[in-house]
Amino acid sequence: MDRLRDRIIPVITILLVIVAAWYAFAVYMNAPFQRDLDRRAGLTPGTVEFVGKTLSQPKPTMPAPHQVAQNFFENTFLRKVTSARSLVYHSWVTLSSTLLGFTFGTALGILIAVGIVHVIALDRSLMPWIIASQTIPILAVAPMIIVVLAAIGITGLIPKALISTYLSFFPVAVGMVKGLRSPDLMHLDLMHTYNASASQTFWKLRVPASVPFLFASMKVAVAASLVGAIVGELPTGAVAGIGAKLLAGSYYSQTIDMWAALVAGSVVAAMLVVLVGIVGKVVERSMGGRPA
């Protein structure tokens, strides 16, 4: 009970501080426009009334938390899943490309890591290029990927998944390299004493040792994959997905819709990270690991 309380109380405290700061910034950001409206209407509201108006504008510069929460609730629970305004629908569209890209990125990251650990030439030549690839802004890469693939007739889910792959393979590759190299020299000498082959050492020592590193890096990768899917929807002119929802909101100054879509993306990312963590614990326990 005490352990649960120690985990929940700090999180709730930080959340309350964020909400309070959010309200303060909403009043500050929306105040100039509200003053202009009151001046044109010849009104001189009191402080409390003025603050209330800044927090209830239909198209605010920065929506208040309760406006975002109301929009999120309505577009998540009170609309049909097939509706074009449903956040569940848009989240599913983004989630499909996220999962595909995450699968591709995880597989690619593991293959690269295995190659780097076993081939010295790849370690010296490939790893610097992998690190350099992540210095290129994804907003610059995404349109090029979309245009090139569209030129050869590949559109739809695959381009967005490849952008997710670009962001998600790096943490998996780095984590797996560290994990595959994590066994102690004593353990490696023991396998050599048992006359174990390279493949036996890999499957019986290196792979089990790398599992915690793999799932830790997969948590980062799945969140990055979601970001890649959202970014991939922006230059495609997509009509569905969280990125499309953000784009449509920016066109029509629907800031509340935009923030609600961001909250939906955050919820999806949190659920994916939790799911990866649960799968990781199940795998570790099935391999004989002790619960933390």
Side-chain angles (χ1 to χ4, degrees):
M1 188 66 181
D2 292 339
R3 184 178 180 183
L4 182 63
R5 183 183 59 190
D6 292 340
R7 288 185 177 182
I8 293 177
I9 290 179
V11 173
I12 294 178
T13 302
I14 294 174
L15 182 62
L16 291 176
V17 171
I18 291 175
V19 170
W22 187 348
Y23 270 112
F25 276 106
V27 172
Y28 176 78
M29 296 292 290
N30 299 332
F33 181 66
Q34 190 60 47
R35 291 195 192 97
D36 186 55
L37 290 178
D38 292 339
R39 181 179 56 80
R40 292 181 182 182
L43 301 175
T44 55
T47 303
V48 176
E49 183 182 359
F50 178 78
V51 171
K53 287 182 177 181
T54 60
L55 298 178
S56 60
Q57 294 176 0
K59 292 185 178 181
T61 303
M62 184 175 186
H66 68 272
Q67 291 178 301
V68 177
Q70 181 180 0
N71 185 290
F72 178 82
F73 180 81
E74 291 177 354
N75 291 330
T76 302
F77 300 104
L78 302 183
R79 298 191 186 279
K80 293 182 179 179
V81 177
T82 56
S83 171
R85 297 195 63 183
S86 172
L87 287 174
V88 177
Y89 168 69
H90 289 287
S91 297
W92 170 251
V93 172
T94 302
L95 182 62
S96 59
S97 54
T98 298
L99 293 177
L100 183 59
F102 174 65
T103 303
F104 288 163
T106 301
L108 179 61
I110 291 174
L111 289 175
I112 291 174
V114 172
I116 288 175
V117 169
H118 286 85
V119 182
I120 298 178
L122 288 179
D123 184 20
R124 295 176 178 176
S125 61
L126 189 58
M127 185 57 97
W129 287 106
I130 293 175
I131 297 173
S133 70
Q134 300 303 301
T135 63
I136 304 173
I138 187 60
L139 289 175
V141 175
M144 292 188 291
I145 294 176
I146 300 297
V147 170
V148 170
L149 293 180
I152 59 177
I154 300 177
T155 58
L157 184 66
I158 298 299
K160 294 187 293 182
L162 290 180
I163 295 171
S164 296
T165 301
Y166 174 79
L167 288 181
S168 61
F169 88 94
F170 177 73
V172 175
V174 173
M176 276 299 288
V177 168
K178 185 174 180 61
L180 292 173
R181 288 175 172 171
S182 63
D184 296 334
L185 183 61
M186 182 184 299
H187 295 155
L188 293 172
D189 288 341
L190 181 62
M191 295 297 291
H192 181 70
T193 302
Y194 290 155
N195 197 28
S197 63
S199 62
Q200 289 175 324
T201 302
F202 176 77
W203 290 109
K204 295 183 181 295
L205 179 60
R206 292 189 184 275
V207 170
S210 68
V211 169
F213 296 88
L214 172 62
F215 281 98
S217 61
M218 285 173 65
K219 290 181 181 180
V220 179
V222 74
S225 183
L226 179 65
V227 173
I230 293 174
V231 171
E233 291 168 350
L234 299 179
T236 61
V239 296
I242 294 176
K245 187 76 171 175
L246 292 172
L247 202 59
S250 67
Y251 287 156
Y252 301 103
S253 300
Q254 298 289 348
T255 51
I256 300 177
D257 285 347
M258 294 174 61
W259 279 75
L262 289 173
V263 171
S266 301
V267 171
V268 172
M271 292 173 61
L272 290 174
V273 171
V274 170
L275 181 60
V276 171
I278 293 174
V279 173
K281 289 182 179 180
V282 172
V283 172
E284 288 181 17
R285 290 188 181 183
S286 67
M287 296 176 64
R290 296 180 180 178

